[in-house]
């Protein structure tokens, strides 16, 4: 089911048949360099375990289409109270997102900016979010620049936040607020 459409970008619910695409994208070393890690490749079984759990939380998992072609993945979720406290938020409604463009032929074309901007707008309007946050690794300069172009600001460093390729990496807490 379509969640929203903005120009050539369409975000729709993740479907069972998308597992093949996720396995393809998440076994590509170029994608894994920034998402999950090159030492953490996904086969079909792992995709099914990670992306299709029976007792799912509040994550909304979606496929990103560009010109009617599936090219990536995005998920969003309200931050739980523990994460909000870690990030320094209290009563606000804060959503987090994670995303990647899995088809590397679509990298460096401004599509990430279209996706992130449209998702921020969707979360602010449809879900009444007060803030939208992301936590890219500090070394992921391309993603950070993309998020800044979407109006997100660097808030603070989250030290040793994410295990990536055997090492804990620092991440930027980035936010967009009304």
């Amino acid at each position: 089911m379509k969640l929203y459409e903005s120009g050539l970008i369409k975000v729709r619910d993740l479907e069972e048949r998308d597992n093949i695409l996720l396995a393809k994208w998440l076994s590509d070393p170029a994608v894994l360099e920034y998402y999950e890690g090159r030492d953490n490749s996904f086969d079909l079984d792992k995709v099914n375990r990670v992306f299709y759990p029976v007792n799912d939380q509040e994550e909304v998992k979606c496929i990103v289409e560009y010109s009617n072609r599936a090219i990536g993945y995005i998920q969003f979720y309200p931050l739980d109270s523990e994460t909000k406290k870690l990030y320094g938020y209290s009563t606000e409604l804060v959503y987090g997102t994670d995303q990647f463009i899995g088809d590397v032929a679509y990298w460096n074309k401004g599509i990430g900016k279209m996706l992130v901007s449209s998702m921020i707008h969707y979360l602010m309007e449809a879900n009444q979010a007060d803030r939208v946050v992301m936590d890219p690794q500090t070394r992921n300069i391309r993603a950070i620049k993309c998020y800044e172009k979407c109006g997100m600001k660097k808030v603070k460093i989250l030290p040793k936040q994410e295990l990536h390729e055997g090492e804990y990496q620092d991440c930027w807490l980035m936010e967009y607020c009304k």
Side-chain angles (χ1 to χ4, degrees):
M1 182 175 91
K2 178 176 74 171
L3 197 64
Y4 73 83
E5 201 163 343
S6 176
L8 297 174
I9 296 282
K10 180 166 84 174
V11 175
R12 64 168 174 80
D13 288 331
L14 182 68
E15 299 171 359
E16 199 170 318
R17 65 184 168 93
D18 296 321
N19 63 353
I20 294 166
L21 284 170
L22 288 170
K24 177 184 175 192
W25 297 333
L26 292 172
S27 59
D28 181 337
V31 174
L32 291 170
E33 182 178 354
Y34 298 100
Y35 195 92
E36 295 294 335
R38 290 167 288 199
D39 60 346
N40 195 15
S41 187
F42 283 62
D43 60 15
L44 205 50
D45 288 337
K46 187 172 181 179
V47 163
N48 289 333
R49 280 192 320 275
V50 171
F51 289 88
Y52 299 91
V54 177
N55 297 335
D56 205 358
Q57 303 154 335
E58 293 190 62
E59 285 179 347
V60 178
K61 299 173 179 169
C62 303
I63 289 293
V64 178
E65 294 183 2
Y66 181 77
S67 293
N68 296 314
R69 176 185 168 94
I71 64 159
Y73 173 82
I74 189 165
Q75 63 186 21
F76 62 91
Y77 42 88
L79 295 191
D80 61 37
S81 57
E82 183 179 318
T83 305
K84 282 171 66 171
K85 185 176 178 183
L86 172 72
Y87 287 1
Y89 302 118
S90 56
T91 60
E92 302 104 326
L93 179 55
V94 183
Y95 274 84
T97 74
D98 306 293
Q99 59 276 319
F100 64 86
I101 295 176
D103 187 334
V104 297
Y106 289 85
W107 286 11
N108 300 313
K109 298 185 183 307
I111 297 168
K113 180 180 181 284
M114 286 186 262
L115 171 63
V116 171
S117 292
S118 64
M119 179 55 74
I120 289 171
H121 179 78
Y122 173 79
L123 292 171
M124 292 287 187
E125 297 299 317
N127 292 34
Q128 301 299 304
D130 296 310
R131 299 175 191 270
V132 177
V133 298
M134 297 178 198
D135 60 352
Q137 294 175 17
T138 56
R139 66 181 189 82
N140 194 345
I141 303 302
R142 185 175 63 218
I144 292 165
K145 286 183 179 181
C146 172
Y147 304 158
E148 288 176 328
K149 288 178 188 174
C150 297
M152 299 192 86
K153 305 286 186 217
K154 292 175 181 170
V155 176
K156 66 178 177 179
I157 294 281
L158 302 169
K160 310 251 184 267
Q161 174 76 2
E162 183 174 301
L163 182 62
H164 186 83
E165 298 183 354
E167 288 185 41
Y168 280 95
Q169 302 290 322
D170 293 347
C171 294
W172 271 110
L173 171 60
M174 298 185 72
E175 74 173 11
Y176 181 96
C177 58
K178 292 181 180 178

